[in-house]
Amino acid sequence: MSAEPGSTHHVLILGGTTEARRLAEALAEDPSYRVTTSLAGRVTSPVLPPGEIRIGGFGGPAGLASWIGVHRVTRLIDATHPFAERMSFNAAEAAALSGVPLLALRRPGWSPGPGDAWTFADSLAEAAALLPGMGSRAFLTTGRMGLHSFADLNDTWFLVRSVDPPAAPRPPRLEVLLARGPFTLADERELLTRHRIDVLVTKDSGGSATAPKLAAAREAGIPVLVVRRPAVPEDVVEADSVQVTLDLLRRRAEDRRAR
Ligand code: NAP
């Protein structure tokens, strides 16, 4: 398969985030780019960006490198979620195998401000070990995939918010709230009050779409248990916003034309 007539770059965006969608929207308006977004297929009805879409794993780094070659991809963007640990390493390895430049779009993490009572954990398992000492009615926003880490906490009541219903194993005392961000501060305040939440558990996902829960917890004097981000591959060029990613992509294209 070759690039669309007139387009000079085929950009493969490894997606699953708001930023990946925004990037695809911006590139779709530029005829010099053909854009394909790749999704893992975890969410039943994802919000799809413009451009081409492919869904499902590639079969590891070699599979991704092969896909890049067959579809004549000229730019690879890792715009996966900061906690999609494996895919970021797969992207780095596939870029090395295929020789296609890789750019990682990583939104900055959150940091505590005045009035915040944050405790950090290095993993979901560590968060589960710390949680009983912090509260008994937890608002758990770490996603449905890691819920098994909290399955043995029989004395904690959980409000679990996720896009799709979580599967077993899961903690025995829980209510599931199916919802997709962005969320407003007013809604988050109301949730904390209605469910008498006394501790919030979150990944350090960063971004504005899910940040209001942190402000609501601060206002209510509720402690927050924050799971730190996993490591990312070294030596990958990073951008911290969609705009910076676009600027870097365009600058590279201009440099190439000037040579
Ligand atoms: P992961 O552990 O890093 O990846 C596991 C496997 O899923 C990868 O080895 C790959 O399979 C496949 N995969 C992951 N992202 C893919 C993509 N964009 N396109 C095609 N295949 C992909 O990832 P995860 O934590 O399960 O997350 C899966 C997806 O959900 C990611 O795209 C991520 O952006 C999104 N997401 C994750 C979180 C989170 O907290 N982890 C939150 C929000 C959104 P192969 O090795 O077979 O290629």
Side-chain angles (χ1 to χ4, degrees), residues 12-18 20 37-43 54-61 63-64 78-90 107 141-143 145 203 205:
L12 174 60
I13 301 173
L14 304 173
T17 56
T18 308
T37 297
S38 173
L39 301 173
R42 303 271 192 280
V43 176
R54 66 157 304 285
I55 297 181
F58 294 92
L64 175 53
D78 173 16
T80 56
H81 190 271
F83 283 79
E85 184 177 5
R86 177 126 51 93
M87 202 53 185
S88 289
F89 281 91
N90 286 4
R107 56 169 95 130
T141 63
T142 48
M145 303 303 281
K203 290 175 174 172
S205 298

Side-chain angles (χ1 to χ4, degrees), residues 66-158:
S66 160
W67 200 96
I68 285 170
V70 169
H71 296 84
R72 299 189 192 159
V73 171
T74 54
R75 295 282 183 273
L76 178 60
I77 312 279
D78 173 16
T80 56
H81 190 271
F83 283 79
E85 184 177 5
R86 177 126 51 93
M87 202 53 185
S88 289
F89 281 91
N90 286 4
E93 211 176 317
L97 285 170
S98 62
V100 165
L102 168 65
L103 184 55
L105 167 48
R106 304 197 205 286
R107 56 169 95 130
W110 292 316
S111 32
D116 281 323
W118 291 14
T119 298
F120 287 91
D122 283 332
S123 62
L124 287 173
E126 191 186 342
L130 291 169
L131 187 56
M134 294 181 65
S136 58
R137 295 183 65 82
F139 182 21
L140 191 68
T141 63
T142 48
R144 73 192 164 100
M145 303 303 281
L147 198 53
H148 58 88
S149 300
F150 300 87
D152 292 337
L153 297 187
N154 298 325
D155 297 330
T156 309
W157 181 87
F158 289 92

